[in-house]
Structures are given as C-alpha cells and as structure tokens.
Amino acid sequence: MPTASLWERTLTFFPQFRRSLTEECRPDATVAVVGAGDGKFVLPLAEAGYSIIAIESDASALNGGEVLLPTSGIAYAPGLVERMKGADLDHLVRIRCADFLEVDPIEMAADAVWTSCSWHYSANHKRPLGEFVTRMQRLVHPGGLFGAEFMMPVEERHQHIEHYTTPDKLARYFTAADWTVLLTLQTEAFVERAHVGQLHDHTHRMGLLLAKRHQVDHEEVGTRQR
Ligand SMILES: C[S@@+](CC[C@H](N)C(=O)[O-])C[C@H]1O[C@@H](n2cnc3c(N)ncnc32)[C@H](O)[C@@H]1O
C-alpha cells in the first residue's frame, strides 16, 4: 500500500473480524465501515475484493489535511479518498461524509458492518449507546455479520459514560432470536504509544464482539412465544 494509515500501529482485533467475514459472508460481500477514518480497515477490505460503504464524520480524515503528530509535529496526512485512489481501489468504495447517528441505516445496508473504537467519541454521547448499536444492527442483511471493537472503561471518568462498555454489556443488545454472538474478546489494560489525537503514551483496554444475524421466520417465532 503506498501510504500508511495514521492509525496503522494501534492495537486491533480486525484479524478476528476478517476471519469471521471469510467464514460467514460471500467473497464479494458489501461491508459497511462506520468511522472509516483514513482507511486502515477500508483499504485491506477493498484489496481483498469486498465492496465497501465507508462512513466518516471527519471531513479531513476523508479528504486529507494537516495533523499534529507525536514526534514529527504538524504534517500533511492523506485522507481516505487519496489513499483509495493511490491504491487503485476507489471503484470499490462508496464514501459518505456524515454523522452515522444521522444517516438512515437502510441507505448503508450491507452484508457486514465493522467499527473500530468510534462510538466512545464524545460527539456520540448525546445519544444512548443502544442507538448506535441498533443502527449498526439494522444495516446488516439477514445472514450477515456484525463486528465492533471498542474502548472499555479504564479511567474513573469512563465509569460514568456508557459508551465505554464491556463485551458482556454489549452482548445484551444481541439477545433477539435473529442474533447469535459468535465471539467476544477483551484485553487487559495496556499502554498504547502516542498517536494522532493522543500525543502521549496512554492506557487503553479494548473489547470485541462479533455476531451473526440469522434469517428468522417471525411468524414461527411468534407461534413459539404464544
Ligand atoms: C479511532 S478512529 C479510527 C479510524 C479508523 N479506524 C482508521 O483506522 O482509519 C474512529 C473514527 O470514528 C469516527 N467517528 C466517530 N463517531 C462517528 C459518527 N457518529 N459518525 C461517523 N464517524 C464517526 C471518528 O471521526 C474517527 O475517524
């Protein structure tokens, strides 16, 4: 790949998502990436042949611009659009610059959805975490895959913000008959090196939840429940 993502070196459970994607979805599936940033995940997914719907609220992550980096200071960073073109993959990606909480999930309907550490951003605290998660669930076609890695609480202030969550709490959104949780994982607290947006080494704890949406005959479920 000609350029590296600003987020290239941050810890990720993306390999676990990729494995489930291969197992659960067709090789030409459409994957929605929520909080796509400059494409750390969009580029490898497109390179693997998936069609991507990328949604990102930060226009500079999409179009490039100046960023403040821990060692090099202010530098120009290419955005998702330039990085996709540089890799000759732009034909595989539909980009939407918008707040995910304001977009109708039907517009982003896909076979799989992936997000990486997006919903804890303070702009999302205006709405309950459940709304973010439910919107992601609604855009997944029956038979498809839900994947999210997220920040878990490590600091005292995180204990009061539900958007810093745990795999157990998140799994409560997946109890309906059409969802099965495939995998949950979590790290211990770990030190991550300084990166864009966090200019000093800092402590994180991360979780993962992968779930499959089933094709459910709702009449049959209703009969069973009666
Ligand atoms: C930790 S960054 C990761 C970026 C991406 N994973 C990458 O590697 O390039 C999370 C991204 O989610 C985006 N984001 C957070 N909340 C969002 C929302 N409601 N709608 C769209 N994007 C959002 C942020 O702007 C940020 O670019």
Side-chain angles (χ1 to χ4, degrees):
M1 253 164 241
T3 58
S5 163
L6 288 172
W7 302 91
E8 206 61 52
R9 292 164 65 183
T10 56
L11 188 77
T12 180
F13 288 115
F14 183 64
Q16 283 78 4
F17 174 72
R18 279 289 284 113
R19 200 168 309 130
S20 287
L21 192 58
T22 307
E23 287 166 7
E24 305 293 343
C25 296
R26 297 185 326 265
D28 62 345
T30 298
V31 183
V33 179
V34 177
D38 65 5
K40 174 177 174 180
F41 306 112
V42 172
L43 266 79
L45 287 168
E47 208 169 38
Y50 296 105
S51 294
I52 314 295
I53 305 169
I55 184 160
E56 172 56 58
S57 52
D58 178 358
S60 61
L62 296 176
N63 300 318
E66 286 192 339
V67 290
L68 183 56
L69 298 174
T71 44
S72 35
I74 293 178
Y76 173 78
L80 176 62
V81 173
E82 187 181 332
R83 296 188 68 235
M84 293 304 300
K85 282 198 184 128
D88 204 14
L89 292 168
D90 45 323
H91 58 289
L92 286 170
V93 183
R94 178 153 66 89
I95 298 174
R96 185 78 199 272
C97 184
D99 178 349
F100 177 61
L101 290 170
E102 303 298 336
V103 172
D104 184 345
I106 301 306
E107 280 180 46
M108 296 189 59
D111 303 302
V113 65
W114 170 248
T115 197
S116 168
C117 303
S118 63
W119 61 50
H120 72 284
Y121 274 53
S122 56
N124 300 314
H125 300 176
K126 62 188 178 212
R127 310 273 258 287
L129 172 61
E131 183 174 337
F132 204 112
V133 175
T134 308
R135 280 170 173 272
M136 281 181 60
Q137 288 174 324
R138 282 175 52 209
L139 68 81
V140 177
H141 293 144
L145 180 69
F146 176 109
E149 62 182 359
F150 46 88
M151 292 300 173
M152 294 176 64
V154 271
E155 296 172 29
E156 165 57 24
R157 68 180 181 93
H158 297 163
Q159 307 296 341
H160 312 288
I161 304 170
E162 64 162 347
H163 298 70
Y164 292 86
T165 192
T166 65
D168 284 353
K169 284 186 184 160
L170 194 61
R172 293 179 200 154
Y173 296 104
F174 293 84
T175 53
D178 52 347
W179 286 101
T180 298
V181 173
L182 299 175
L183 179 67
T184 59
L185 292 171
Q186 61 188 62
T187 68
E188 293 300 326
F190 64 94
V191 175
E192 185 138 271
R193 311 302 287 182
H195 55 74
V196 64
Q198 299 231 30
L199 299 178
H200 301 283
D201 293 358
H202 48 281
T203 303
H204 279 324
R205 197 169 176 206
M206 278 173 62
L208 169 79
L209 184 140
L210 301 178
K212 181 168 174 79
R213 182 170 185 185
H214 300 283
Q215 198 94 43
V216 166
D217 181 339
H218 283 283
E219 263 183 33
E220 193 191 309
V221 172
T223 315
R224 267 194 268 131
Q225 284 171 347
R226 256 177 250 138

